Amino acid sequence: VQLQASGGGLVQAGDSLRLSCAASGRILSSWIMGWFRQAPGKEREFVAAMRWSNGNTKYADSVKGRFSISKNSAEHTAYLQMNSVKPEDTAVYYCAASSQFTTQGNEYFRWGQGTQVTVSS
C-alpha cells in the first residue's frame, strides 16, 4: 500500500486547510495513521495520529484544539483538518502508517511523499 499526501498550499494566518492522505489500497484496521511535519532546518515532529480501528486519536500539544485527524474508511483516506493556522505551522507535512499507536516517527513503516504548507503572517 502506498500513501499519497495532498492538499497543501499557501494560506494566511488564521485560515483553514485540509490535508488528505490517500492509500492505494485498504488500510488495515490494525494500522495507525499519523501525520508528521518538518520545517526547514528543524527535525521532523509528530502532529497527530489515529487508530484506524476505533478512531482514537492523539495530538501534539502545539496543534491540540486547532488540528483534527479524521478518516474515510471507504475511501482509504485519512485527513488532517488544520484550523487557525499559524506561521509556525509552515512545514512539509507527511502522512505515515504504523502498527504502534505512537508519536515516534521511527515506528512508522510507510510514508507518503509530503505536501508543503506555508502560512503567511
Side-chain angles (χ1 to χ4, degrees):
V1 174
Q2 305 299 315
L3 303 178
Q4 183 166 355
S6 63
L10 174 62
V11 295
Q12 293 187 330
D15 284 352
S16 296
L17 195 64
R18 190 177 77 161
L19 306 183
S20 299
C21 176
S24 60
R26 179 171 168 260
I27 296 175
L28 301 181
S29 60
S30 59
W31 283 13
I32 284 77
M33 298 301 294
W35 286 96
F36 291 77
R37 66 186 182 186
Q38 187 166 21
K42 294 188 177 181
E43 293 187 355
R44 182 180 61 197
E45 65 174 353
F46 169 79
V47 176
M50 169 179 277
R51 187 183 293 276
W52 205 252
S53 60
N54 61 13
N56 283 358
T57 59
K58 61 173 65 179
Y59 297 93
D61 288 343
S62 59
V63 306
K64 204 171 292 184
R66 298 188 300 121
F67 291 10
S68 176
I69 186 171
S70 63
K71 65 173 181 171
N72 183 325
S73 297
E75 296 292 330
H76 316 301
T77 301
Y79 302 99
L80 184 69
Q81 179 67 42
M82 305 168 61
N83 297 328
S84 303
V85 296
K86 305 175 181 180
E88 51 264 44
D89 294 322
T90 294
V92 177
Y93 284 71
Y94 299 90
C95 61
S98 176
S99 59
Q100 304 295 323
F101 196 35
T102 178
T103 64
Q104 301 302 306
N106 58 7
E107 295 289 346
Y108 286 74
F109 57 81
R110 195 66 47 81
W111 290 82
Q113 86 288 2
T115 185
Q116 175 71 47
V117 173
T118 303
V119 183
S120 63
S121 57

